[in-house]
């Protein structure tokens, strides 16, 4: 039982004993710094059941706790807040119980529980990954790791959007302007090469629009009738009908892209358990469109297009199949969800990591799946997140103004190198060690900067600001971890020694640090419930601030006696382990030296 559970039971007993009333819940909060105490019982919610002065009620409950609870040594009441002081012995016993647990805070999944599938990345095969994909990947990967740590079985997946008009645009541009060039002949990563032709298509499309306007067309007519767009639409129809030449070109160019993606994922430090391809799942979606037509979930319009009318549910009408029989995104997403449950029958829910511009799409998707009769559809969650902006403005793929993910990772390492050299922190490192460390610091800075922000909020990403060895940054936390490792290397102490709760008293800074460590399991559960890596990131920063205050106020290796030294070294070790584990949940590595 944790401290809140112990106190909750006794507070209920106190209210029953002194006021003859049963209360179901007890509200706690951290004691404010200006008052003595470790945990605060909030009296005000009890006033609905217990009539009287909140200060007197607090005094009565406080007296009961001191008399009946070994862990409680004193109390004070400020207005309607009962501040409870907990004995040092309680914290020492707690610390002895967890100090050797390398997985403290983590829960193993139960065999009987349903698994969760987390989807992230989900790129198009017509361009390389960019800064927006970086936030998506970091969020999805971290949420998957947090759910795992909270006791869930998790599958990490992505849907690769490898079909559709946008893919045909890159294919057509390469066919027209590529002169047979390949990743090998150009030295470019495959995804970058294909992305260049997506930009080339847009340039040619705009040129043709202007040409048609100059000949008397309106802008709307020109946009619809530009020859290159009509040719791309015809290419899509040929692909869907299985035209051999078109399919061969599609396979070749997608193959280039997959190799490029694979390298980017490795650089970013994310992975997947299984992959899905839109080209496989859209057909299953079309099957269920046909089923939905039979059951009345969908209706066919006069032009042959198929729609779902959700107006009675407060939404709109949504197309699920075009008049020419080709699939739309919704068709594919219906098919993908159903295929995943077929492939993994133990999955009981899914998390979709997709930007907030798709909020409506997922409202509709989840509702359609419910209407099609799938019980698991009630456990679908859209992990909606805000866009990432740069000081220079918004990115656009088709105009070639995106920040390439690989370039960003390289730039972060370069910025880390520049700042580290200025600070002169790496004397005695080999060039190879420096290179590894720069990458670790650069990636850590990027990941932490992105993940410390609530997913729903938009981010203005400033690379320089993210690589700072002071403040709420990845490098500051990495540096603290490396500092602790330096202390541990010098300590030369048996870390298995158990300290007696009866004979040891705690310095206030030791107690505060143990209290912060104690929060970790609850933070993991909250982060899992809220799908928010920001809760882990900001907890870690608070832990590091608490450790640095401890480090500045007490001597660790120069402690007055062996008992003090043992506790302080063990405390440092547990803090380091907690930093490593929490950063692991964010996909961030920590350096042994820095």
């Amino acid at each position: 039982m944790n401290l809140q559970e112990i106190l909750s039971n006794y507070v209920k007993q106190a209210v029953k004993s002194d006021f003859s009333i049963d209360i179901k819940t007890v509200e706690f909060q951290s004691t404010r710094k200006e008052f003595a105490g470790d945990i605060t019982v909030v009296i005000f919610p009890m006033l609905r059941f217990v009539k009287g002065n909140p200060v007197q009620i607090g005094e009565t409950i406080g007296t009961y706790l001191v008399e009946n609870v070994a862990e409680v040594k004193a109390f004070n009441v400020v207005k309607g807040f009962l501040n409870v002081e907990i004995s040092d012995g309680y914290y020492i016993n707690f610390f002895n119980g967890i100090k050797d647990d390398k997985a403290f805070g983590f829960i193993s999944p139960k065999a009987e529980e349903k698994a969760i599938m987390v989807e992230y990345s989900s790129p198009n095969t017509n361009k390389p990954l960019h800064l927006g994909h970086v936030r998506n990947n970091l969020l999805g990967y971290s949420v998957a790791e947090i759910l795992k740590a909270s006791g869930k079985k998790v599958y990490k997946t992505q849907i690769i959007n490898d079909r559709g008009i946008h893919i045909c645009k890159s294919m057509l541009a390469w066919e027209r302007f590529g002169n047979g060039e390949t990743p090998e002949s150009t030295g470019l990563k495959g995804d970058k090469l294909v992305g260049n032709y997506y930009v080339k298509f847009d340039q040619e499309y705009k040129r043709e629009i202007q040409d048609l306007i100059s000949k008397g067309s309106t802008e709307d007519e020109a946009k619809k009738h530009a020859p290159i767009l009509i040719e791309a639409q015809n290419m899509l129809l040929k692909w869907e009908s299985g035209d051999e030449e078109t399919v061969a070109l599609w396979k070749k160019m997608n193959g280039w892209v997959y190799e490029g993606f694979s390298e980017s994922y490795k650089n970013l430090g994310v992975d997947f358990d299984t992959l899905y391809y839109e080209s496989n799942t859209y057909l299953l979606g079309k099957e269920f469109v046909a089923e939905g037509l039979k059951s009345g979930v969908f209706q066919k319009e006069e032009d042959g297009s198929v729609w779902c009318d959700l107006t009675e549910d407060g939404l709109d009408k949504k197309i699920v199949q075009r008049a020419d029989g080709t699939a739309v995104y919704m068709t594919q997403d219906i098919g993908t969800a159903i295929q995943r449950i077929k492939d993994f029958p133990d999955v009981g829910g899914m998390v979709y990591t997709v930007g907030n511009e798709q909020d409506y799409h997922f409202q509709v998707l989840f509702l359609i799946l419910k209407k099609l009769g799938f019980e698991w559809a009630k456990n679908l969650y859209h992990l909606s997140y805000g866009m990432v902006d740069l000081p220079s403005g918004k990115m656009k793929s088709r105009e070639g103004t995106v920040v390439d993910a690989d370039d960003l990772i390289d730039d972060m390492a370069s910025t880390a190198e520049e700042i580290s050299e200025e600070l002169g922190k790496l004397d005695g490192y080999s060039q190879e060690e420096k290179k590894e460390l720069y990458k670790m610091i650069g990636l850590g800075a990027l990941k932490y900067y992105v993940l410390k922000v609530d997913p729903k909020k938009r981010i203005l990403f400033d690379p320089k600001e993210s690589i700072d060895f002071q403040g709420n940054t990845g490098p500051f936390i990495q540096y603290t971890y490396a500092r602790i490792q330096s202390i541990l290397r010098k300590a030369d102490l048996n870390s298995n020694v158990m300290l007696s709760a009866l004979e040891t008293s705690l310095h206030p800074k030791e107690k505060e640090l143990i209290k912060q460590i104690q929060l970790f399991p609850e933070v993991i559960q909250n982060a899992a419930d809220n799908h928010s890596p920001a809760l882990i990131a900001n907890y870690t920063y608070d832990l590091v601030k608490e450790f640095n205050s401890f480090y500045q106020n007490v001597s660790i290796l120069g402690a007055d006696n062996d008992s003090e030294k043992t506790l302080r070294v063990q405390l440092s070790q547990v803090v380091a382990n907690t930093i490593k584990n929490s950063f692991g949940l964010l996909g961030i590595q920590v350096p042994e030296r820095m």
Side-chain angles (χ1 to χ4, degrees):
M1 253 197 287
N2 65 30
L3 183 61
Q4 282 197 14
E5 288 168 337
I6 293 168
L7 290 180
S8 184
N9 287 337
Y10 279 104
V11 169
K12 287 173 186 176
Q13 286 176 31
V15 173
K16 177 77 172 169
S17 167
D18 290 296
F19 302 101
S20 303
I21 288 170
D22 288 309
I23 57 170
K24 288 185 178 167
T25 58
V26 179
E27 189 179 315
F28 294 95
Q29 63 185 38
S30 297
T31 304
R32 286 168 56 175
K33 295 283 184 192
E34 61 265 36
F35 303 121
D38 301 296
I39 189 167
T40 296
V41 180
V42 185
I43 303 297
F44 294 113
M46 298 180 195
L47 299 181
R48 284 177 294 170
F49 314 103
V50 184
K51 303 303 175 194
N53 181 308
V55 174
Q56 288 174 344
I57 294 167
E59 293 276 354
T60 302
I61 295 170
T63 302
Y64 185 93
L65 294 179
V66 169
E67 290 171 357
N68 292 279
V69 187
E71 291 84 357
V72 175
K73 68 173 188 180
F75 73 91
N76 63 84
V77 181
V78 180
K79 297 181 180 173
F81 299 93
L82 167 60
N83 303 317
V84 180
E85 288 185 62
I86 303 299
S87 69
D88 288 356
Y90 167 79
Y91 288 107
I92 292 162
N93 282 333
F94 161 77
F95 184 71
N96 279 334
I98 63 100
K99 69 183 178 62
D100 299 318
D101 181 2
K102 297 293 182 196
F104 170 66
F106 289 19
I107 296 174
S108 299
K110 295 184 181 77
E112 67 277 9
E113 275 197 26
K114 286 282 193 181
I116 297 175
M117 187 170 273
V118 181
E119 174 194 295
Y120 52 96
S121 195
S122 306
N124 297 329
T125 58
N126 63 330
K127 56 194 175 189
L129 303 177
H130 56 62
L131 179 54
H133 291 116
V134 168
R135 186 176 198 191
N136 182 302
N137 274 272
L138 299 184
L139 261 178
Y141 177 86
S142 182
V143 165
E145 293 300 310
I146 291 165
L147 287 168
K148 240 189 267 185
S150 77
K152 302 285 190 293
K153 184 178 180 182
V154 175
Y155 298 108
K156 294 181 274 191
T157 191
Q158 63 171 322
I159 175 76
I160 298 172
N161 300 302
D162 63 344
R163 59 167 289 281
I165 190 69
H166 48 294
I167 310 299
C168 290
K169 287 175 180 178
S170 290
M171 289 163 58
L172 181 60
W174 182 85
E175 219 173 33
R176 275 204 193 183
F177 310 110
N179 299 315
E181 69 178 20
T182 65
E184 291 74 25
S185 70
T186 57
L188 284 173
K189 275 177 80 224
D191 52 338
K192 287 189 170 61
L193 178 68
V194 172
N196 288 345
Y197 285 101
Y198 185 57
V199 173
K200 181 67 180 167
F201 178 95
D202 191 59
Q203 291 167 347
E204 187 62 17
Y205 176 51
K206 284 176 176 167
R207 190 193 64 73
E208 288 186 359
I209 289 169
Q210 291 309 312
D211 187 43
L212 289 171
I213 290 171
S214 71
K215 291 174 181 172
S217 293
T218 66
E219 188 176 345
D220 282 349
E221 286 171 343
K223 282 180 177 177
K224 284 179 193 167
H225 300 117
I228 197 168
L229 178 64
I230 291 166
E231 202 174 334
Q233 289 167 339
N234 288 335
M235 184 180 264
L236 177 60
L237 288 170
K238 280 160 75 177
W239 181 88
E240 288 211 6
S241 66
D243 176 72
E244 281 185 26
E245 204 175 305
T246 306
V247 170
L249 175 62
W250 171 77
K251 283 182 178 174
K252 177 166 72 175
M253 292 182 71
N254 276 352
W256 295 343
V257 173
Y258 298 146
E259 284 183 22
F261 284 168
S262 183
E263 195 179 319
S264 297
Y265 292 139
K266 189 178 174 187
N267 287 336
L268 199 53
V270 301
D271 59 8
F272 305 91
D273 299 310
T274 183
L275 307 180
Y276 286 88
Y277 298 89
E278 186 184 335
S279 55
N280 294 333
T281 62
Y282 86 100
L283 291 171
L284 183 60
K286 287 174 84 166
E287 281 179 34
F288 276 88
V289 167
E291 288 291 319
L293 273 170
K294 285 181 200 165
S295 63
V297 174
F298 304 135
Q299 298 81 40
K300 189 174 274 193
E301 298 294 313
E302 283 182 19
D303 66 355
S305 60
V306 181
W307 295 71
C308 187
D309 188 351
L310 302 171
T311 49
E312 285 187 14
D313 301 280
L315 300 176
D316 214 331
K317 286 179 73 176
K318 185 73 178 178
I319 188 168
V320 292
Q321 193 169 286
R322 294 188 189 95
D324 62 8
T326 56
V328 292
Y329 272 126
M330 190 59 72
T331 328
Q332 166 243 294
D333 282 347
I334 292 166
T336 304
I338 295 165
Q339 188 62 55
R340 285 171 175 166
I341 301 294
K342 284 186 172 187
D343 293 344
F344 295 90
D346 60 335
V347 166
M350 292 183 236
V351 175
Y352 292 81
T353 312
V354 183
N356 57 14
E357 75 278 9
Q358 295 294 330
D359 284 354
Y360 184 74
H361 174 88
F362 282 98
Q363 262 187 290
V364 170
L365 172 66
F366 299 167
L367 186 52
I368 287 175
L369 287 165
K370 281 179 190 168
K371 286 180 180 292
L372 287 170
F374 295 108
E375 176 66 18
W376 43 262
K378 69 178 187 292
N379 299 321
L380 302 178
Y381 180 81
H382 175 206
L383 175 50
S384 172
Y385 62 89
M387 292 296 99
V388 185
D389 296 313
L390 288 160
S392 56
K394 199 174 177 184
M395 304 181 295
K396 293 180 182 173
S397 297
R398 62 182 174 273
E399 293 176 13
T401 60
V402 299
V403 175
D404 180 271
D406 299 310
D407 293 344
L408 176 63
I409 292 166
D410 289 343
D411 288 348
M412 292 300 292
S414 299
T415 307
E417 177 177 3
E418 191 183 303
I419 292 171
S420 298
E421 294 291 348
E422 279 173 22
L423 295 171
K425 290 183 179 289
L426 300 178
D427 295 341
Y429 277 62
S430 70
Q431 281 307 117
E432 194 54 40
E433 285 173 327
K434 283 183 180 181
K435 191 179 170 188
E436 277 300 304
L437 189 59
Y438 297 146
K439 186 179 177 187
M440 195 185 291
I441 295 169
L443 259 182
L446 168 64
K447 291 181 178 185
Y448 188 83
Y449 196 95
V450 167
L451 293 173
K452 74 177 180 180
V453 179
D454 182 284
K456 292 180 177 61
K457 291 183 179 173
R458 202 167 182 135
I459 295 177
L460 180 67
F461 180 68
D462 184 338
K464 278 268 190 194
E465 188 184 305
S466 72
I467 302 183
D468 190 336
F469 288 89
Q470 297 297 323
N472 191 4
T473 67
F476 172 66
I477 294 168
Q478 287 173 319
Y479 182 67
T480 301
Y481 177 85
R483 170 189 273 172
I484 297 172
Q485 294 311 303
S486 174
I487 294 167
L488 297 177
R489 282 192 292 272
K490 293 172 191 167
D492 187 28
L493 201 71
N494 180 359
S495 64
N496 296 321
V497 174
M498 301 282 276
L499 296 166
S500 166
L502 297 174
E503 295 169 13
T504 310
S505 62
L506 293 173
H507 186 284
K509 291 295 176 186
E510 294 168 342
K511 190 175 183 179
E512 287 304 315
L513 200 48
I514 293 172
K515 282 161 67 176
Q516 190 65 27
I517 292 164
Q518 198 176 32
L519 294 174
F520 190 43
E522 185 185 341
V523 171
I524 291 175
Q525 293 302 321
N526 285 343
D529 291 345
N530 291 285
H531 301 87
S532 178
L535 296 177
I536 300 287
N538 290 296
Y539 164 81
T540 313
Y541 177 54
D542 289 341
L543 175 65
V544 162
K545 279 195 299 184
E546 202 63 66
F547 176 81
N548 283 323
S549 177
F550 160 78
Y551 177 79
Q552 286 154 12
N553 284 279
V554 304
S555 177
I556 297 174
L557 299 181
D560 292 339
N561 55 59
D562 283 349
S563 176
E564 271 187 2
K565 182 179 175 183
T566 299
L567 173 62
R568 290 171 187 177
V569 170
Q570 288 178 350
L571 255 177
S572 301
Q573 199 160 33
V574 172
V575 169
N577 189 58
T578 307
I579 292 170
K580 187 174 187 175
N581 285 343
S582 56
F583 258 33
L585 297 178
L586 304 178
I588 303 174
Q589 293 179 295
V590 283
E592 296 300 308
R593 295 192 300 146
M594 198 164 157

